């Protein structure tokens, strides 16, 4: 939907809300929310990292890639952490 546009871009971002996935992996969804429990660690550069979140993202991307191999197609994926 328009969640990202409204939260971060004052409704100005066109998010492709009419685009729905037709792959079985996330059928009929344009935005997927995955809740990951983990700990944020502050890095030397004063940013944060969450190892459990990274691992969960990698797992989901590998699952998506595996699912898409049978369709012989590529997709674009955006990750907001």
């Amino acid at each position: 939907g328009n969640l990202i546009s409204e939260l971060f871009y004052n409704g100005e971002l066109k998010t492709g809300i009419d685009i729905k996935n037709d792959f079985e992996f996330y059928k009929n969804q344009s935005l997927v929310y995955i809740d990951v429990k983990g700990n944020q660690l502050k890095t030397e550069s004063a940013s944060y990292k969450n190892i459990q979140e990274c691992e969960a993202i990698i797992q989901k991307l590998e699952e998506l890639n595996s699912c898409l191999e049978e369709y012989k197609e590529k997709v674009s994926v955006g990750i907001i952490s």
Side-chain angles (χ1 to χ4, degrees), residues 1-2 15-21 26-32:
N2 291 322
T15 61
I17 57 173
D18 295 331
I19 299 170
K20 302 288 185 197
N21 294 313
Y26 291 121
K27 188 127 180 117
N28 294 320
Q29 298 180 40
S30 58
L31 178 67
V32 177

Side-chain angles (χ1 to χ4, degrees), residues 16-33 64 67-68 71 73-78:
I17 57 173
D18 295 331
I19 299 170
K20 302 288 185 197
N21 294 313
D22 58 358
F23 299 110
E24 290 299 319
F25 195 74
Y26 291 121
K27 188 127 180 117
N28 294 320
Q29 298 180 40
S30 58
L31 178 67
V32 177
Y33 174 82
L64 179 60
C67 178
L68 293 175
Y71 292 98
E73 293 193 34
K74 293 183 179 185
V75 296
S76 294
V77 175

